[in-house]
Amino acid sequence: MADFFINIDTISKMMGDKSDEFIECMRIVQDIAERPEYYVGGQAIKYANQLASFRTIMIVKSQMYKRKSSIMGEEDKFTNDIWKTMYEALAENINVLKLSAKSGNQ
């Protein structure tokens, strides 16, 4: 199976002016991957809350796009797919941060 490289700049360009939440989420997720020891206790709670907020925004936007799906252009379809994917993917990050918060407070 081939490795895939996520190019945030390319995805951001494809999403146009609707990429702000995606970029911020990816920045946080990348930092968690690079420095997991930093995200414990209060820091983990802070970022779990932030990612949960972004997750809510993404699914609400995705539902709004679903309403106009019959007139969606390719950029809108791509943006909606990214929001739905991030919505699903962030759940695991949020759960791990909650566990890290618990272990960091003991």
Side-chain angles (χ1 to χ4, degrees):
M1 183 178 194
D3 290 332
F4 290 95
F5 177 74
I6 299 171
N7 186 318
I8 295 171
D9 292 333
T10 301
I11 294 172
S12 176
K13 286 177 188 169
M14 291 174 75
M15 291 178 75
D17 62 352
K18 301 167 198 81
S19 65
D20 293 342
E21 291 93 357
F22 169 77
I23 292 168
E24 183 61 16
C25 287
M26 287 304 293
R27 184 193 64 75
I28 294 168
V29 169
Q30 259 181 308
D31 197 52
I32 292 169
E34 292 169 6
R35 304 180 315 142
E37 70 284 352
Y38 178 74
Y39 293 89
V40 294
Q43 202 65 12
I45 293 168
K46 174 184 173 185
Y47 284 96
N49 288 338
Q50 191 173 13
L51 290 178
S53 296
F54 282 129
R55 187 171 188 257
T56 300
I57 291 167
M58 287 178 191
I59 198 63
V60 169
K61 285 184 174 183
S62 178
Q63 289 299 318
M64 290 170 56
Y65 266 67
K66 190 176 174 182
R67 293 275 183 203
K68 68 173 197 168
S69 61
S70 63
I71 57 170
M72 254 192 229
E74 287 305 310
E75 182 182 299
D76 288 342
K77 288 178 185 175
F78 180 79
T79 298
N80 193 36
D81 287 345
I82 291 294
W83 283 335
K84 286 193 277 188
T85 302
M86 286 297 289
Y87 173 81
E88 294 297 327
L90 287 175
E92 188 64 25
N93 283 281
I94 293 164
N95 288 334
V96 169
L97 286 168
K98 288 192 280 186
L99 291 172
S100 296
K102 286 181 184 178
S103 67
N105 286 332
Q106 294 178 354

